[in-house]
Amino acid sequence: MTKFYEIEPNLENYWRSIILFGRNVASYKFALAKSLYHLKEQGKTVVTLDQLAYPFSQHICEHLKLVDKQATSNSSKFLDVCRAYNCNQIDQNTLIQKTVQYGFANVIDAFHMVHGQELPQRFFADARKTHGGIILTDEVFQLFDTQHANDLIDETEARWRLVETAWSMNLPKHLVQIEHDDTGILIADNKMRRVNVTSAKAALNGYQKGKCFYCFRPITITSLLDESADVDHFFPHKLRECDAGKPINGVSNLVLACISCNRGHQGKFDLLPSISLLERLHKRNEYLITSHHPLRETLIAQTGFTEPKRQQFLQQAYDCATLTLGASKKWQPLQMAAATF
């Protein structure tokens, strides 16, 4: 997914490439990402594995309390150690010792790899042979000093929740569906049970690179700020009037918009966006599909197995909405910045 960061090659989008498009065979990537933020706050540059082991293992232990399945493999010595700690069977010193022994076997090497390629920017250097740990780069300090650094951490947590929830349902991937419940929460539904997963804003913001879907104005998922994002339905709820089967609350129809575009003066409200924005929605959805489980399976089930089928699905939905809402009632945003997706 090199196009994701090549269109706007900055530190935030390199980071998002790791979180959104890196391999998901275990949750260690997310724990390491959150640990880097923790260590940056302490001002550390050279970090030994002992020092890294504490925040890393704590993040894993906390998520094991939420979802016991934190990897696709059937067994893991490291996860068993974390479970033992959660059950008060071992103390913190033993947890750290075992984390150093088992926890970093693959994640340090794999962290900067996305679809088989190493990213052009690194957030730490592997210094296990020379310093017994890692060395944080200037880039990670710059990254977490940005205005909306907290959004990046929330996005990491949201992605982790999506992945672990899908694993925990222990069903064929195509049976796990992610939907929006109109309260701002994404729900995992496997026809047997529904599970609240995470904030829709945190889950979607990274794919839009922290920009309004319509005008590309910067947005944040932090509430009660001028630039706070709204969750918007690209196709308004009135689309149900022509086809009740359309997944209005499916992730394929959810975008993040600035307040001005969504409900400000001359905002979208329940109007249908212009046809030029349909291709943008398709491109954003293809980012979601490239991100894999569980968003990939959700979008494929909702909109089509192949990219042409998915484009056809959106076009048919658009044609239906045009007939229902009227061809003259189209909304066009004022673009405020260069397109980034």
Side-chain angles (χ1 to χ4, degrees):
M1 183 46 67
T2 57
K3 288 184 179 179
F4 181 84
Y5 57 76
E6 285 179 348
I7 294 174
E8 189 183 21
N10 59 33
L11 294 178
E12 290 92 339
N13 291 333
Y14 287 126
W15 176 268
R16 285 172 169 138
S17 295
I18 293 169
I19 302 305
L20 301 177
F21 305 116
R23 291 185 66 197
N24 293 317
V25 295
S27 59
Y28 304 167
K29 169 183 70 177
F30 306 120
L32 180 54
K34 297 186 74 170
S35 298
L36 293 178
Y37 181 77
H38 173 88
L39 294 165
K40 176 267 174 188
E41 290 294 290
Q42 296 181 353
K44 294 181 180 295
T45 301
V46 178
V47 181
T48 66
L49 291 186
D50 284 340
Q51 293 168 332
L52 179 59
Y54 174 74
F56 181 80
S57 61
Q58 291 301 310
H59 289 307
I60 294 291
C61 287
E62 287 302 312
H63 271 262
L64 280 169
K65 295 175 184 177
L66 298 172
V67 175
D68 187 67
K69 191 171 181 61
Q70 291 294 325
T72 56
S73 61
N74 292 326
S75 63
S76 165
K77 290 182 179 179
F78 172 56
L79 292 179
D80 286 343
V81 167
C82 293
R83 293 184 183 103
Y85 176 78
N86 282 346
C87 295
N88 297 317
Q89 296 173 357
I90 61 173
D91 61 17
Q92 188 175 97
N93 288 335
T94 303
L95 173 65
I96 290 175
Q97 176 189 349
K98 294 297 183 181
T99 299
V100 171
Q101 184 177 358
Y102 299 125
F104 303 118
N106 298 309
V107 68
I108 290 177
D109 291 328
F111 187 80
H112 294 96
M113 300 296 293
V114 177
H115 292 179
Q117 297 181 353
E118 182 170 325
L119 292 177
Q121 295 282 359
R122 293 184 66 92
F123 297 103
F124 63 83
D126 182 358
R128 283 175 288 183
K129 293 182 179 179
T130 58
H131 294 77
I134 62 174
I135 298 176
L136 303 189
T137 63
D138 291 342
E139 284 76 10
V140 79
F141 288 94
Q142 294 169 18
L143 175 73
F144 291 131
D145 280 338
T146 56
Q147 182 179 3
H148 298 309
N150 286 336
D151 284 359
L152 299 175
I153 300 305
D154 290 342
E155 291 167 22
T156 301
E157 179 67 15
R159 182 66 191 148
W160 192 345
R161 290 291 294 127
L162 279 167
V163 170
E164 69 186 4
T165 301
W167 285 340
S168 72
M169 287 187 159
N170 200 29
L171 285 171
K173 293 179 179 180
H174 68 278
L175 295 181
V176 179
Q177 298 293 298
I178 304 297
E179 298 178 346
H180 186 248
D181 72 347
D182 283 334
T183 68
I185 301 297
L186 292 185
I187 292 176
D189 188 349
N190 66 2
K191 307 305 180 185
M192 297 172 62
R193 62 189 176 108
R194 291 165 64 87
V195 179
N196 286 2
V197 182
T198 189
S199 158
K201 293 181 182 180
L204 295 174
N205 193 53
Y207 298 99
Q208 293 182 200
K209 303 178 180 179
K211 305 292 176 60
C212 171
F213 177 85
Y214 298 112
C215 72
F216 295 107
R217 180 187 281 114
I219 55 175
T220 178
I221 55 179
T222 302
S223 301
L224 304 178
L225 298 176
D226 290 342
E227 64 269 32
S228 296
D230 285 345
V231 177
D232 181 50
H233 294 75
F234 182 92
F235 292 108
H237 278 89
K238 288 184 178 181
L239 182 58
R240 290 185 184 275
E241 297 176 13
C242 66
D243 187 349
K246 297 296 184 189
I248 294 298
N249 282 329
V251 291
S252 64
N253 190 43
L254 301 179
V255 300
L256 299 187
C258 67
I259 294 172
S260 178
C261 282
N262 191 41
R263 50 192 168 94
H265 179 62
Q266 296 183 335
K268 174 179 174 288
F269 292 94
D270 62 352
L271 296 175
L272 181 66
S274 65
I275 187 67
S276 62
L277 293 167
L278 193 65
E279 176 60 27
R280 188 180 301 170
L281 179 65
H282 171 68
K283 183 182 294 185
R284 196 291 310 267
N285 286 348
E286 292 303 301
Y287 281 158
L288 297 178
I289 285 176
T290 308
S291 189
H292 292 287
H293 200 31
L295 296 179
R296 173 185 176 87
E297 292 75 26
T298 295
L299 265 77
I300 286 175
Q302 290 177 351
T303 63
F305 186 74
T306 66
E307 185 172 350
K309 288 287 187 183
R310 293 190 288 273
Q311 286 181 309
Q312 182 182 36
F313 173 89
L314 290 178
Q315 186 62 58
Q316 289 175 344
Y318 195 87
D319 293 343
C320 175
T322 298
L323 289 173
T324 302
L325 302 176
S328 63
K329 297 181 179 179
K330 301 289 179 66
W331 177 78
Q332 179 67 43
L334 178 63
Q335 188 164 316
M336 303 298 293
T340 55
F341 57 89

